[in-house]
């Protein structure tokens, strides 16, 4: 299993998407044809996909079930539409939460004039066939709880020199959205992180004294993750 605190590089993600259709995807976890039995999940987190959509590109209507999907726009605007006819624009700083529950169909597109980049986190629901739910939080500034998956998401924007403690939970995930940081303390102390890099905290890790220190102004997503099998 390796270190209980370890750094994963954005450049090492598995490539995917449909480049000929203007969609480039980078998968942080085992996904589709990229099967890796040692990289299936982190607690309830089963996917962290970095999506790059050219202007006019998008994902046609598709289905999800028993998954909590958290979407964070890095740049551009995401056009979202579901089978109930709800249409939403999601912008940088907004959090979109789609609780797929018993099953939902939706469309994700870049209807803007420029490129779109967003992150999508997939969390396994603790109970099957929940009632589907849809929420958009504009300009997220507080901790956002996802009790259906035993997760809490925070966004932090430290100035240079500022520090962030690693998530103190059975599992933790920290993703650098923009800027540069350095990991201090813990198993991977001294590692520098750039945009797209992440830190994983596995069960049993002692995160006391382990922090991310911002080398530049940063934006970091922090996930506290419960043990899905507890």
């Amino acid at each position: 299993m390796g270190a209980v605190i370890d750094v994963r590089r954005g450049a090492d993600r598995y490539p995917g998407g449909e480049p000929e259709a203007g969609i480039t995807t980078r998968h942080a976890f085992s996904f589709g044809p990229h099967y890796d039995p040692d990289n299936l999940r982190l607690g309830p987190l089963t996917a962290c996909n970095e999506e790059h959509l050219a202007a006019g590109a998008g994902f046609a209507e598709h289905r999800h079930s028993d998954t909590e999907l958290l979407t964070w726009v890095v740049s551009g605007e995401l056009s979202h539409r579901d089978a109930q006819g709800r249409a939403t624009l999601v912008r940088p700083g907004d959090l979109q939460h789609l609780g797929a529950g018993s099953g939902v169909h939706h469309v994700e597109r870049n209807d803007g004039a420029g490129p779109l980049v967003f992150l999508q986190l997939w969390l396994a629901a603790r109970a099957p066939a929940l009632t589907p739910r849809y929420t958009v939080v504009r300009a997220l500034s507080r901790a956002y709880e996802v009790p259906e998956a035993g997760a809490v998401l925070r966004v932090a924007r430290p100035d240079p020199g500022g520090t962030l403690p690693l998530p103190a939970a059975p599992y933790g995930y920290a993703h650098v959205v923009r800027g540069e940081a350095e990991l201090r303390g813990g198993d991977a102390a001294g590692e520098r992180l750039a945009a797209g890099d992440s830190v994983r905290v596995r069960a049993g890790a002692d995160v006391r004294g382990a922090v991310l220190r911002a080398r530049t102004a940063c934006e970091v997503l922090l996930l506290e993750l419960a043990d899905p099998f507890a």
Side-chain angles (χ1 to χ4, degrees):
M1 179 170 284
V4 291
I5 300 177
D6 69 302
V7 171
R8 299 294 179 108
R9 302 298 177 185
D12 294 333
R13 289 175 170 236
Y14 311 114
E18 299 178 69
E20 66 281 0
I23 301 172
T24 301
T25 304
R26 303 289 292 185
H27 301 287
F29 293 86
S30 180
F31 201 99
H34 301 288
Y35 176 68
D36 182 349
D38 295 323
N39 191 23
L40 296 177
R41 63 192 300 161
L42 182 70
L45 181 64
T46 61
C48 178
N49 300 333
E50 183 182 283
E51 306 286 0
H52 295 250
L53 273 61
F59 298 99
E61 185 171 299
H62 57 284
R63 186 178 187 275
H64 294 278
S65 63
D66 295 330
T67 304
E68 304 295 317
L69 294 94
L70 302 178
T71 301
W72 186 261
V73 174
V74 179
S75 60
E77 291 185 341
L78 171 65
S79 296
H80 181 270
R81 187 178 72 253
D82 63 25
Q84 283 69 48
R86 289 177 295 208
T88 311
L89 273 180
V90 187
R91 302 178 177 90
D94 298 340
L95 174 68
Q96 176 180 268
H97 176 198
L98 177 62
S102 57
V104 295
H105 290 80
H106 72 154
V107 175
E108 298 158 300
R109 291 191 53 79
N110 178 11
D111 291 325
L116 164 67
V117 180
F118 65 91
L119 290 171
Q120 193 165 87
L121 303 149
W122 294 16
L123 300 160
R126 288 182 151 188
L130 297 170
T131 300
R133 302 159 323 285
Y134 181 75
T135 303
V136 175
V137 179
R138 301 296 184 188
L140 181 72
S141 60
R142 57 176 175 79
Y144 185 83
E145 296 186 9
V146 189
E148 298 84 0
V152 179
L153 175 71
R154 292 178 172 84
V155 59
R157 298 183 179 91
D159 293 325
T163 60
L164 300 171
L166 292 183
Y171 297 90
Y173 192 74
H175 182 97
V176 179
V177 177
R178 61 187 94 244
E180 298 178 0
E182 180 181 1
L183 183 62
R184 294 192 170 185
D187 295 333
E191 292 275 8
R192 293 187 178 183
L193 294 90
D197 294 342
S198 62
V199 180
R200 300 183 187 187
V201 179
R202 297 193 180 96
D206 183 357
V207 298
R208 289 174 297 180
V211 298
L212 282 178
R213 182 181 181 276
R215 293 173 53 81
T216 67
C218 286
E219 181 175 272
V220 182
L221 295 181
L222 302 162
L223 262 179
E224 296 178 9
L225 303 164
D227 186 342
F229 306 110

